[in-house]
Amino acid sequence: MSEVQTVDNMISITIDGIEYKAKEGEYILNAARANDVFIPAICYLTRCSPTLACRICLVEADGKQVYACNAKVKEGMEVVTSTENILTERRAIMEVYDVNHPLQCGVCDKSGECELQNYTLELAVDSQSYMIPDTKRETTNWSSVLHYDPGLCIVCERCTTVCKDMIGDAAITTAKRGGAELDKSYKESMPKDAYSMWNKLQKSVIAPSNGTGETNCSDCGECIAVCPVGALASRDFVYQSNAWDLKRVPAVAAHSSDGAQIYYEVKPTSITDRTEKIYRVTNEWNYVSLDGSARFAYDFQNTTASKDKAAFDAAIEAFKKAETIRFNAMITNEEAMMLQTLKEKMGVKLYNPEVKAFQTFLNHYEAASGNSLWTTDPDAIMKKSDFVISIGAALRNDSPAMKYAFNNVQKLNKGAGLYFHPVGDTLIPTFGKTVEVFTHKVGHEELALYLVLDLFADKEKLPEDVKEYIDSFKKTETKTIKEKEVKTVKEMVLNEETGEEEEVSKKVTEMVDKEITVTTNGLVDLLGGDASKFDAAFEKMMKKKEHFSMMLGEDLYYHEKAENIAKLVALVEATCDMDVVMTPPKSNALGVALICDLDDAQSGYTIGYNENGDFRLSALGDGDLDMPALNQQEGTLCNIGKRLLPTNAAVEYNGYELNDLMKVLVGAPELTIDWTAMLPTDRGFKAIAFDDLTNSFDNDGSDNRGYRLETSNVETDLPEVEKCDESALLEGEIAYRCNPARQFNDFTDKSHEIFEAFALYASTEKAEALGNKVEVVFDNGSITLDVLADEKITGDIVKVPDFKAAKGVYDLFGGSRYKTVTLRKV
Amino acid sequence: MGLEQFKNRNVGTQNYTMVDAGHSPQGAMCQFKQVVKRTFKGELFVGLWVTMRSMIKALFANDMHTVKYPLEKLPISPRYRAIHDMLRLLESGHYRCIGCGLCEKICISNCIAMDTRYDENQRKEVSEYTINFGRCIFCGYCAEVCPELAIVHGPRYENASQQRAGFSLFEDMLTPIDKLNLQQEYDGFGAVSPNADENIKQTPLAY
């Protein structure tokens, strides 16, 4: 959590006679939780809007019964968590939840970690007073990963809430269940809240919101995580293991740069095979939300590895003659540090096409703004921003954390958003009513930043030439429009009763020609928006907005004018009262960017680490020497939140590690994690040993995982920016290097619960036009791909994935993310 | 959660304690003395006389205190805890075990293991089940915790084998389907108590 709690936004409240401090404007339930006070609650999710389905969080605040999940604390408020009436209500609510709930705890996957079990015991429900005929509800599979058993569902709506408020897919909703009506006599005899909760519960069930039996979503599985009962489960996990048999290994999600907190849950594979296997991934869902790669791409370990001395010796020889080491972002900080040491001591080149552009962009940004790293993070955005702008990121694919933050701001902070991207997307506009999507031309990213400057900058601070440039887009026209005008006309009317003439005023509407001056913002039109409507829309968006944040994506790092863009970003920050977050492309790109001096190109004999090369080190089990995968090693990763996060080994590894090679080559400490304290402190790392790193969340949601990287800020002059270079515009058939959601690299592809194919993704119309298979021809080669339709894409740009290193997609695209290509039907 | 377990990387280092096993005689003379002392003490004949007396009584006076094991066996109490049996449902013949894993969890010698899976009928199926009888201490917790009276202690106590660790699989313990009519209901450890009806409350039903 980045927001510093100051004394002045804290107020004091009393809960059950004890005084506590609470943040102003916080819900009673969250305030109680932050202070370790227990109030039962089933349907409420921290970071989402209150659902008010379970009604069990009833408390008395200043003598009035309220729901703790949606009543805000006030200075001096006195909260009582249980009165006689509240206890009666809660007991009745739990009895209702238990009515007709299948007595199959024995086989239920949730048994042992089930909130229905817990609260039934907590409230000591030992008998049942209510009854109703049960409704037959069939078990269904919603997607390739989601399994729903409506018989077990208590319709708390946590799944629908998280899907809408956090994930943004809104792929599931409550639907009609059918079945018996409640007995009328219950209305009188039952406690009031329990009755109304039951009335709703009895009518509802959860279903995909598109009306079919299948969800069309990103398959993140967050609904599974938040389900308090066994109703939602991963298809792969159903009846595989009891919760209590699994050992939790705290770790970091390896694939995206979110660095989300996860637990690998391990247990022996079977009775005959006692090697440990990862059965599932869980998370602290109150504080962190996972994407599909974090939750389902877990079994990517290198199982074939053994200590092959011959291969090891060959590797040593290879390193001795190597000129280049080519690697990617799937690497821990410690390993990156080792490679950097090799560079310093042996003079090898380090080549990393995934990270190089990002590193360069960071350097440009630092030079222009004086900030060593970006100034906010997705968590902070969710907590306080109410206006977010996304430029250059395929939000759905690149960075789940940014997508969630963008969506969450719309839903919870009554926020607004601007989304700039060349590839049209149908999901983003559904995040909120005040989200404007600009589908601009490839190469117009600079203009997007100029528009941001125009809309948000303090014009006093802007350099003259920038102001002039922005104004050059504005056209002032004098238009004659017809306008309705209401006129009051006085008439003399003869009053028939009195026979006298009276003056009566009448209202008459007339059409009048009027001359007005209209300023059209050419930038809006250039970026694919509609300038005539934008001004009004923007005015609406800006109402009551205080905190502005900007999200930047990978497109900008690979932009031809990356340096100018970095300067523009710095200018935005300096003049707009806006903070910025950048998404590191994939996994530990930030760690690599901070630790390694990367070279521009590879040359000579190359060692590929999970990449192509003359000698291949590989954690995929297909190289010349085996390496441990990220779920088989201890170490640290850096994420989009600018934190260094410790991760632990979940499964066994029997081969050599990079550190073993280092010992022979240049000398190294005993363990890989001994490198943790040696990470460069001048780049923001701290000299803290791995075992001293913490790894937890506090009850109030503060993140104590690892540590936050030290950032520096140097006062700098405003950067000199260039105008948008229109010559960089791409025309014709354009391919965009972008992975389908859930796929990031060879490791996600290896995982058995990830199904997204290595194919060309296009909008439905485009896919139809292209047929089943195409050859994508670049300047320097071509690749043949199956064509898949993604109905959430609009427009003509096609997406070419890069998650298979062996396909060499990075080389085809060269230094950019967009390329003009020829698509040939095959 | 605590991270201590992840910080211990010394896998395999354990602390052994030596047990005080008394003294053995030192030197040949001491050993010889011990042999002589034990041989001529006469205790042997006291024991032999007791045996002789019982033998005479059994042979000539038909006064027998023991049974002719293994030709003859005493009935054992239903509460005796011998090798486990897996029972079937009497009506359908399907095995009772639902794969809840409670026996596996409660087992204090950690000798029960099971694998389960989602079967074609959308039910939980026990795909593998084993008890390591080299470790089992026959405490009866598994039978007591079983919600289905599926795992019970049977009467088979003859389990001598050539090696210490003997494993039983699910099928070994399961009542053979052709002997279903001979399956005895179990009323030992974990069975429903005779006054169970008095201890439960009725749940109202809307049918």
Side-chain angles (χ1 to χ4, degrees), chain A residues 211-467:
Chain A
T212 68
E214 305 222 322
T215 53
N216 176 16
C217 66
S218 58
D219 275 342
C220 67
E222 198 60 18
C223 48
I224 297 173
V226 299
C227 184
V229 290
L232 270 164
S234 154
R235 276 174 73 172
D236 192 62
F237 185 69
V238 178
Y239 295 160
Q240 292 296 310
S241 172
N242 284 314
W244 57 76
D245 286 330
L246 298 164
K247 187 178 88 183
R248 298 179 125 192
V249 182
V252 178
H255 310 293
S256 74
S257 57
D258 296 0
Q261 174 275 340
I262 57 169
Y263 296 113
Y264 288 118
E265 304 216 344
V266 298
K267 183 179 111 157
T269 312
S270 71
I271 286 176
T272 40
D273 181 3
R274 301 311 281 176
T275 52
E276 291 199 323
K277 163 186 146 179
I278 301 171
Y279 275 73
R280 63 169 176 182
V281 165
T282 51
N283 58 325
E284 295 284 358
W285 41 264
N286 263 315
Y287 314 125
V288 63
S289 297
L290 301 187
D291 73 301
S293 72
R295 187 175 307 284
F296 295 112
Y298 52 79
D299 54 338
F300 54 88
Q301 65 270 22
N302 186 358
T303 47
T304 56
S306 63
K307 294 216 165 175
D308 181 352
K309 192 77 177 96
F312 185 77
D313 292 339
I316 296 290
E317 285 312 307
F319 267 95
K320 281 182 181 158
K321 66 178 173 185
E323 260 182 61
T324 311
I325 300 174
R326 180 179 175 154
F327 61 112
N328 54 30
M330 276 296 269
I331 181 171
T332 61
N333 291 327
E334 287 71 18
E335 287 180 307
M337 186 68 195
M338 289 178 208
L339 296 182
Q340 176 62 17
T341 311
L342 282 182
K343 175 169 185 162
E344 282 160 17
K345 296 203 175 163
M346 295 174 67
V348 289
K349 281 185 183 169
L350 297 181
Y351 179 57
N352 191 330
E354 271 185 19
V355 183
K356 178 64 188 167
F358 172 61
Q359 189 182 43
T360 317
F361 188 83
L362 271 185
N363 291 341
H364 290 321
Y365 170 72
E366 183 172 1
S369 70
N371 297 327
S372 62
L373 281 177
W374 49 92
T375 44
T376 187
D377 58 78
D379 270 350
I381 290 178
M382 283 197 249
K383 286 203 175 89
K384 73 172 205 264
S385 299
D386 43 24
F387 201 113
V388 277
I389 301 160
S390 162
I391 304 178
L395 219 45
R396 235 162 18 88
N397 313 63
D398 288 356
S399 175
M402 290 209 318
K403 173 192 167 197
Y404 299 167
F406 194 102
N407 172 56
N408 195 251
V409 163
Q410 313 305 326
K411 303 283 165 52
L412 252 72
N413 304 355
K414 295 191 186 103
L418 294 173
Y419 178 74
F420 297 91
H421 203 266
V423 183
D425 196 296
T426 56
L427 186 71
I428 312 289
T430 64
F431 286 172
K433 280 182 189 142
T434 46
V435 175
E436 286 287 321
V437 175
F438 288 89
T439 311
H440 59 81
K441 285 185 188 139
V442 179
H444 266 162
E445 284 78 7
E446 287 158 293
L447 285 187
L449 283 158
Y450 273 113
L451 180 63
V452 171
L453 279 172
D454 177 31
L455 297 174
F456 299 95
D458 182 353
K459 297 286 181 310
E460 307 281 289
K461 289 188 196 162
L462 271 185
E464 276 308 314
D465 55 330
V466 176
K467 237 191 292 184

Side-chain angles (χ1 to χ4, degrees), chain A residues 154 196 205 298 342 492 509 543 564 649:
Chain A
I154 59 170
S196 41
V205 72
Y298 52 79
L342 282 182
M492 300 304 279
T509 321
K543 265 182 198 155
N564 191 40

Side-chain angles (χ1 to χ4, degrees), chain A residues 55 65 67 85 89 187 190-197:
Chain A
R55 296 166 187 247
Q65 262 188 27
Y67 304 111
N85 186 40
E89 285 279 8
K187 191 160 192 180
M190 272 179 83
K192 215 171 88 252
D193 279 297
Y195 177 80
S196 41
M197 170 246 144

Side-chain angles (χ1 to χ4, degrees), chain A residues 106 134 239 242 271 634 691, chain B residues 7 9 98 100 115-116 204 207:
Chain A
D134 205 355
Y239 295 160
N242 284 314
I271 286 176
E634 298 173 298
D691 282 348
Chain B
K7 293 180 185 171
R9 296 180 185 83
I98 55 169
C100 69
D115 291 343
T116 54
Y207 303 102

Side-chain angles (χ1 to χ4, degrees), chain A residues 40 42-43 52-58 67 89-90 93 97 192-194 196-198 200:
Chain A
I42 297 180
C43 70
L52 291 179
C54 76
R55 296 166 187 247
I56 208 167
C57 66
L58 265 183
Y67 304 111
E89 285 279 8
R90 282 188 191 152
I93 289 170
Y97 273 136
K192 215 171 88 252
D193 279 297
S196 41
M197 170 246 144
W198 192 10
K200 195 170 158 215

Side-chain angles (χ1 to χ4, degrees), chain A residues 106-107 126-128 131-134 147 238-240 242 244-245 248-250 263 270-271 634 673 691, chain B residues 1 3 6-7 9 98 100-101 104-105 113 115-118 123-124 128-130 201 203-207:
Chain A
V107 297
D126 56 357
S127 64
Q128 181 61 267
M131 58 183 176
I132 194 160
D134 205 355
H147 173 93
V238 178
Y239 295 160
Q240 292 296 310
N242 284 314
W244 57 76
D245 286 330
R248 298 179 125 192
V249 182
Y263 296 113
S270 71
I271 286 176
E634 298 173 298
I673 49 150
D691 282 348
Chain B
M1 67 182 285
L3 297 169
F6 301 104
K7 293 180 185 171
R9 296 180 185 83
I98 55 169
C100 69
E104 186 186 14
K105 176 67 188 164
D115 291 343
T116 54
R117 66 179 205 99
Y118 186 63
R123 293 172 67 94
K124 193 176 194 174
E128 291 284 343
Y129 190 103
T130 150
K201 293 178 194 168
T203 300
L205 273 180
Y207 303 102

